[in-house]
Amino acid sequence: MAIVISIANQKGGVAKTTSCLNIGAALGQAGYKTLLVDFDPQSSLTKILNRENQTIRYVGDWLQNRCVFTDVVQRSPHENLDYLPSHIHLRGDEMDMQKDFINGNEFLSIKLQEVGAEYDFVLIDTLPSLSLLCINALFASQFVLIPSKMDYVSIGGLSQLTRLIADVKKKKPIEILGVFSTIYRTGVKRQERCYNELKAIFPSHVLRAKIRINAAIEEAAYEGLPVTYLDSQCRGAQDYHELTKEILQRCPLKKKAVPVA
Ligand SMILES: Nc1ncnc2c1ncn2[C@@H]1O[C@H](COP(=O)(O)OP(=O)(O)OP(=O)(O)O)[C@@H](O)[C@H]1O
Ligand SMILES: [Mg+2]
């Protein structure tokens, strides 16, 4: 079964989507078959990967059994990287989930069990809210990765997310795999102080790798690419490579990656 990881933080603009794409691409390049799930009605990940803006099925169609997995899954041109697109209509699906008092938290979890054997990793890009879609992502995941910017508001808001994870954990196993710093400005004392504060709050969870600000990351997204496919030597590609190595060290891997020829 795939290792399923939600990338979550209810704060907007902390690089959830960017991290989902770039960690996913790094896992794919390392030989792990990876599925990205765009679980945000804003559909940012889909807008990056579906450059031609083709009309395609979206994850809500699959959740609600309006189509089968093979109709919804998209094969990206990148190594070992598939994705499930999103659409603004996922908001409507969330309202349907709310009406289902028995399975409302577990729509995604139930469906992912159908396809978990096909992948080594499933990464879920969540929306900037602790709504039912986020809860569904957590119920479907064994692990959570938390990207955070290094400012006091961002760090202060993490307690709401960790409380939600603790609530979910009362019902099913889930662990924080790592908390990592994004859009990091090196040489800025305040950022360093925030990073140390984060380590004090999460003594065993803060990852060493920091994702520094790098224009190539934005440029790559604009071009519809993970940063490593734009420039494998740039800071952004190196940082995501280091971060992914650390994530792999923390994962209970049963299978070694099959290097791509
Ligand atoms: N390391 C970085 N350097 C420069 N720009 C970055 C970096 N990481 C992310 N960005 C840019 O910051 C913006 C926000 O990133 P992203 O969309 O990934 O955040 P998000 O948490 O998914 O946002 P939302 O909460 O709206 O879903 C994007 O324009 C992205 O290209
Ligand atoms: Mg996003």
Side-chain angles (χ1 to χ4, degrees), residues 1-259:
M1 273 303 278
I3 295 175
V4 184
I5 305 174
S6 277
I7 302 186
N9 188 332
Q10 79 278 15
K11 182 125 186 17
V14 297
K16 292 181 287 296
T17 302
T18 304
S19 299
C20 186
L21 174 66
N22 287 296
I23 296 166
L27 289 171
Q29 283 194 314
Y32 294 102
K33 197 154 191 300
T34 302
L35 174 70
L36 308 181
V37 181
D38 187 351
F39 216 53
D40 179 356
Q42 291 182 100
S43 316
S44 309
L45 185 65
T46 305
K47 285 172 192 155
I48 295 170
L49 287 172
N50 179 22
R51 298 310 284 178
E52 264 114 67
N53 202 16
Q54 293 160 318
T55 310
I56 45 181
R57 294 283 197 170
Y58 76 104
V59 61
D61 287 328
W62 180 56
L63 289 184
Q64 302 249 44
N65 298 314
R66 293 188 290 259
C67 72
V68 293
F69 183 71
T70 47
D71 291 334
V72 69
V73 69
Q74 298 290 311
R75 315 285 171 199
S76 86
H78 315 305
E79 284 168 45
N80 292 316
L81 198 64
D82 292 350
Y83 70 102
L84 296 184
S86 187
H87 192 278
I88 189 70
H89 290 161
L90 190 58
R91 277 269 172 245
D93 299 301
E94 185 180 29
M95 287 161 79
D96 291 339
M97 292 173 188
Q98 259 150 9
K99 290 180 207 144
D100 187 332
F101 294 112
I102 296 168
N103 292 322
N105 291 339
E106 296 179 67
F107 270 58
L108 183 59
S109 171
I110 291 165
K111 293 302 283 184
L112 278 181
Q113 281 162 25
E114 288 176 17
V115 298
E118 290 179 36
Y119 294 94
D120 299 310
F121 283 94
V122 176
L123 302 184
I124 308 171
D125 181 25
T126 65
L127 70 173
S129 143
L130 299 178
S131 69
L132 188 55
L133 288 174
C134 181
I135 293 170
N136 258 261
L138 297 178
F139 266 84
S141 303
Q142 293 112 283
F143 295 110
V144 192
L145 274 171
I146 305 176
S148 180
K149 278 165 74 167
M150 292 301 99
D151 61 63
Y152 287 109
V153 178
S154 297
I155 292 176
L158 291 180
S159 58
Q160 287 169 280
L161 174 60
T162 52
R163 269 201 299 276
L164 179 62
I165 295 168
D167 283 346
V168 172
K169 200 175 169 179
K170 288 177 195 154
K171 307 218 170 88
K172 55 139 289 168
I174 185 165
E175 299 292 338
I176 296 174
L177 187 63
V179 183
F180 61 99
S181 109
T182 56
I183 317 185
Y184 190 84
R185 279 173 288 153
T186 30
V188 177
K189 281 245 158 56
R190 255 178 304 123
Q191 298 257 299
E192 196 59 39
R193 273 217 303 274
C194 282
Y195 181 75
N196 289 331
E197 190 176 318
L198 197 65
K199 284 205 288 194
I201 301 170
F202 297 97
S204 54
H205 291 118
V206 176
L207 303 181
R208 287 186 308 280
K210 298 174 182 146
I211 308 298
R212 295 165 289 178
I213 286 195
N214 182 216
I217 288 179
E218 270 195 303
E219 201 184 320
Y222 186 78
E223 297 294 335
L225 296 170
V227 66
T228 182
Y229 285 85
L230 182 82
D231 176 359
S232 63
Q233 299 308 311
C234 73
R235 257 197 320 205
Q238 285 169 10
D239 290 350
Y240 273 109
H241 182 70
E242 286 305 312
L243 180 72
T244 305
K245 273 205 310 206
E246 236 180 305
I247 290 168
L248 283 169
Q249 283 162 7
R250 287 177 175 236
C251 279
L253 289 166
K254 291 204 183 89
K255 176 190 153 189
K256 277 219 159 90
V258 183

